[in-house]
Amino acid sequence: MSTWLRSSPPPSPLLPSRTCPTTLHPPPPPTATWASRAALQISVSFSRLLTRVTATTTSDARELQQGIAEFYDESSKLWEDIWGHHMHHGFYDPDSTVSVSDHRAAQVRMIEEALRFAGVSDPSEWPKSVVDVGCGIGGSSRYLAKKYGANCKGITLSPIQAQRGNELAAAQGLADRVFFQVADALDQPFPDGQFDLVWSMESGEHMPDKTKFVNELARVASPGGKIIIVTWCHRDLGPSEESLQPWEEELLNKICDAYYLPAWCSTADYVKLLESLSLQDIKAEDWSQYVAPFWPAVIRSALTWKGLTSLLRSGLKTIKGALAMPLMIEGYKKDLIKFAIITCRKPE
């Protein structure tokens, strides 16, 4: 989930500020040509985008990383006990009735639908090497290794997640093809162009520097390789909007404080960043309608006897995250939060 603006409560000391300052730019001189004015406007627009989605200070980022690692160290066992190995939303048919037993199948369907959307469905397109960025306990990697024969490397900030992922890989006879390690998605320990598929399933929302995040995804992708980003975003801003409305910022801040998230960005912001790197076949879609049953189901699972007792044993960070789940539902219902998929291909 692998990331979880200010008008009321002050920010948590663990988190960077989520305000998005606007840089003032002087107008062009009177002698500027039409072309130079157009170029300046493009520069201004992209500068504002980068201001909105780039990094905080090094110390803030380090504190955020620590908070994310501790949150998942604490909560991953609870999630695995109740929901299994896939730590992400499920993909559902809109308006369908879903039984409890269907939710794990919906999480697998999310993987398959993401691959289909990216055009990785033909056997000739199946990836041979995959990096799972923000791998959780490695559900996606093991699935891709089993079904497609891929060699997968996963990275996470959580030592407990990496250890558990490797234990499960060994137990399933996949240790020769799947390996997990603690590493920073913004500074990946891999050479350029190593992976046919760069997979980020609900980890982008945790990245404090979206520009560096996207650059790293592109760097480690092989020529012709696919990049799949499935992430939480806020709604796209309208043509006349400079920022979200105050109530929207306040709601997102509460979610950020619970799930250790830095600044949110929009799907359009991601697309612009990918375009700036000259990546090809860029596609994006809002899948919010397909994940609608997920958060109510998570809340119901938390309210079972097993869920409540496990939650109380897990720790304060996990309890705080559980209490914020209704805020996610509110964000979806008010069309503020968008569940986005963005895919592209690195040029040959």
Side-chain angles (χ1 to χ4, degrees):
M1 290 183 183
S2 246
T3 348
W4 90 178
L5 311 165
R6 178 78 43 194
S7 61
S8 56
S12 162
L14 277 176
L15 297 175
S17 170
R18 265 120 20 210
T19 54
C20 299
T22 301
T23 304
L24 298 178
H25 299 270
T31 56
T33 64
W34 177 89
S36 65
R37 287 174 181 269
L40 178 61
Q41 184 58 47
I42 292 171
S43 174
V44 168
S45 298
F46 195 67
S47 175
R48 286 176 176 167
L49 165 65
L50 295 183
T51 299
R52 201 160 59 242
V53 298
T54 50
T56 57
T57 66
T58 301
S59 60
D60 283 340
R62 193 176 297 116
E63 289 177 349
L64 178 64
Q65 284 187 341
Q66 181 181 350
I68 294 168
E70 291 174 351
F71 177 79
Y72 285 109
D73 280 349
E74 187 179 282
S75 62
S76 291
K77 186 179 187 305
L78 168 62
W79 183 272
E80 182 184 353
D81 288 345
I82 296 177
W83 277 79
H85 298 169
H86 298 291
M87 302 184 69
H88 55 77
H89 285 68
F91 188 102
Y92 306 86
D93 293 318
D95 304 319
S96 64
T97 301
V98 183
S99 67
V100 173
S101 62
D102 292 331
H103 292 297
R104 294 190 184 189
Q107 289 175 304
V108 172
R109 186 180 175 191
M110 175 62 72
I111 297 173
E112 289 290 348
E113 290 293 333
L115 294 171
R116 180 196 57 77
F117 185 81
V120 187
S121 54
D122 188 293
S124 64
E125 295 281 345
W126 288 351
K128 299 304 180 186
S129 58
V130 178
V131 60
D132 188 349
V133 180
C135 60
I137 58 173
S140 293
S141 291
R142 289 189 300 278
Y143 182 84
L144 294 171
K146 285 181 188 176
K147 183 161 186 178
Y148 300 107
N151 293 306
C152 302
K153 294 183 178 179
I155 57 174
T156 173
L157 292 174
S158 166
I160 287 178
Q161 286 187 336
Q163 178 182 347
R164 181 58 178 156
N166 285 322
E167 289 172 355
L168 291 168
Q172 296 172 20
L174 296 170
D176 60 332
R177 282 189 282 145
V178 180
F179 177 72
F180 305 101
Q181 64 191 94
V182 176
D184 183 0
L186 303 184
D187 187 18
Q188 297 184 35
F190 309 117
D192 296 356
Q194 182 170 345
F195 300 102
D196 300 328
L197 175 62
V198 178
W199 175 270
S200 172
M201 177 62 72
E202 297 187 54
S203 63
E205 54 268 24
H206 282 299
M207 305 301 167
D209 187 334
K210 301 297 192 289
T211 302
K212 193 171 183 180
F213 172 56
V214 170
N215 270 273
E216 275 294 273
L217 298 184
R219 181 185 67 78
V220 300
S222 63
K226 297 289 182 73
I227 298 172
I228 300 177
I229 304 169
V230 181
T231 188
W232 311 353
C233 292
H234 66 61
R235 64 174 179 83
D236 289 343
L237 298 180
S240 62
E241 291 183 299
E242 289 290 331
S243 64
L244 295 172
Q245 299 178 34
W247 72 265
E248 294 175 313
E249 295 171 350
E250 181 178 355
L251 178 57
L252 291 184
N253 275 329
K254 292 177 181 178
I255 295 171
C256 287
D257 289 341
Y259 295 129
Y260 294 90
L261 305 182
W264 292 61
C265 70
S266 69
T267 306
D269 290 334
Y270 269 111
V271 169
K272 289 176 183 176
L273 288 173
L274 295 171
E275 289 173 342
S276 74
L277 297 175
S278 300
L279 296 166
Q280 300 175 347
D281 301 334
I282 300 170
K283 297 194 302 180
E285 196 166 280
D286 176 13
W287 278 5
S288 300
Q289 64 173 327
Y290 299 114
V291 302
F294 179 76
W295 284 97
V298 174
I299 290 175
R300 287 194 298 272
S301 69
L303 294 177
T304 62
W305 176 252
K306 180 180 180 181
L308 286 171
T309 54
S310 298
L311 183 62
L312 291 174
R313 288 197 299 267
S314 61
L316 292 177
K317 289 182 173 65
T318 306
I319 293 171
K320 185 178 180 180
L323 293 174
M325 290 189 291
L327 299 177
M328 289 294 297
I329 295 176
E330 181 183 354
Y332 277 122
K333 286 183 175 179
K334 293 182 175 180
D335 288 327
L336 168 60
I337 296 175
K338 300 295 182 180
F339 189 88
I341 180 167
I342 309 106
T343 69
C344 62
R345 181 174 60 86
K346 189 171 180 177
E348 297 279 359

